[in-house]
Amino acid sequence: MEDNLVFEYVVSREDFTRAGEASADVKKKLKALGVPSGVVRRVSIALYEGEINMVVHAYGGNITVEITSDKIIMLLKDKGPGIPDVEKAMQEGFSTASDSVRALGFGAGMGLPNMKKCSDRMDISTTIGVGTEIKMEVDL
Amino acid sequence: MKISEIVDLLDAECLTGTDMLEKEVKTACGSDMMSDVLAFAKDNAVLMTGLCNPQVIRTAEMLDTPCVIFVRSKRPTQAMIDMAEEREIVVLATNHRMFSTCGILFQAGLTGGEK
């Protein structure tokens, strides 16, 4: 059996203009591997939304993407304030984003619901004052 | 609709991708919120926005958007234009406001792609 491919990225909160570089790199890799375009699109959107969240809501973190024979697993771990009410955060339109985040084009309250929509499975584990871990899987 | 037709309809300036104006777009999405664009834009859509930061180009990249139109006289930075060029994304700028831009393109047959 072939080994799974694993890619790791550090997401810095320092530079908003660089947010999305990890997602863009994953997208390129998936395309190069010949992954179907619909899957590439779903993974790209889900990962990019997650990466943006790590920059605008948290203090950065780490992304690990694993490609197995039958799915793509994305693990996003941030160091940040955590999510006080996950159920609310999953509602379309609900957002705790500041005006400065909205001015950057994010914080419409669509991020987490869209991440769930784009993935086949999504789990959120969050601790207030420590950070959030989101695991998403997209089947191949 | 060909991007060249969009240039004519909006009296737009092409800031990069002049060699790609014969590309076709199927639908359109207009918003200043990239989260909404990521949630609602359909395949092969032209993106219209008044937001002017590098994440617009990044969003277009994630969605395989062939063309971004900056409305109401917004002009992207050279760094953004370079980013778009590297990703083979056509960048247009028009003086029309968002509502008019959407209206002109809708009237010419481009839709949001909703069923």
Side-chain angles (χ1 to χ4, degrees):
Chain A
M1 187 178 146
E2 284 180 28
D3 288 338
N4 294 342
L5 285 171
V6 179
F7 306 107
E8 293 184 341
Y9 303 88
V10 175
V11 177
S12 163
R13 75 170 306 201
E14 300 304 320
D15 190 355
F16 174 74
T17 61
R18 294 189 61 188
E21 283 188 354
S23 308
D25 190 64
V26 169
K27 184 179 184 190
K28 263 184 215 156
K29 286 187 162 77
L30 295 181
K31 270 188 166 177
L33 287 166
V35 172
S37 60
V39 173
V40 174
R41 182 180 167 96
R42 288 165 60 206
V43 169
S44 302
I45 293 171
L47 198 56
Y48 179 53
E49 282 281 15
E51 189 177 352
I52 288 288
N53 279 349
M54 292 170 87
V55 176
V56 300
H57 289 295
Y59 317 129
N62 296 81
I63 293 175
T64 306
V65 177
E66 185 176 357
I67 304 167
T68 74
S69 58
D70 61 355
K71 64 188 168 192
I72 296 165
I73 305 163
M74 296 165 270
L75 188 62
L76 293 80
K77 291 185 184 181
D78 73 46
K79 297 179 276 290
I83 305 170
D85 189 334
V86 173
E87 204 178 317
K88 254 190 180 174
M90 289 305 300
Q91 291 171 10
E92 288 191 2
F94 178 83
S95 176
T96 57
S98 63
D99 286 347
S100 60
V101 170
R102 288 175 209 268
L104 295 170
F106 294 90
M110 295 305 296
L112 282 173
N114 201 21
M115 286 161 70
K116 185 168 187 181
K117 193 175 108 191
C118 288
S119 51
D120 289 299
R121 286 164 295 282
M122 182 169 100
D123 293 312
I124 301 177
S125 162
T126 186
T127 307
I128 299 302
V130 177
T132 299
E133 268 188 47
I134 297 180
K135 184 181 181 186
M136 295 181 284
E137 294 184 356
V138 175
D139 294 333
L140 285 169
Chain B
M1 180 183 287
K2 283 185 180 174
I3 297 173
S4 57
E5 291 175 68
I6 295 174
V7 172
D8 291 341
L9 286 163
L10 299 177
D11 194 19
E13 185 184 347
C14 182
L15 303 176
T16 186
T18 47
D19 55 334
M20 294 183 282
L21 298 183
E22 294 310 295
K23 275 190 184 176
E24 293 267 351
V25 294
K26 286 183 184 164
T27 60
C29 180
S31 179
D32 289 354
M33 294 299 281
M34 293 302 106
S35 298
D36 281 342
V37 173
L38 286 161
F40 298 116
K42 306 293 179 194
D43 277 347
N44 209 8
V46 59
L47 167 58
M48 296 165 286
T49 188
L51 182 72
C52 205
N53 72 40
Q55 297 307 334
V56 172
I57 307 299
R58 191 71 79 189
T59 298
E61 176 184 12
M62 291 302 152
L63 294 169
D64 284 325
T65 297
C67 176
V68 175
I69 305 169
F70 289 95
V71 301
R72 51 179 186 268
S73 310
K74 295 289 169 73
R75 288 293 186 276
T77 61
Q78 189 57 48
M80 289 166 64
I81 294 170
D82 292 345
M83 251 182 104
E85 192 173 4
E86 276 173 34
R87 289 155 180 80
E88 299 186 347
I89 296 167
V90 178
V91 176
L92 307 179
T94 178
N95 294 335
H96 287 291
R97 295 177 189 178
M98 179 68 92
F99 182 79
S100 305
T101 303
C102 294
I104 290 166
L105 296 184
F106 188 83
Q107 205 165 32
L110 204 57
T111 70
E114 301 100 325
K115 285 173 186 166

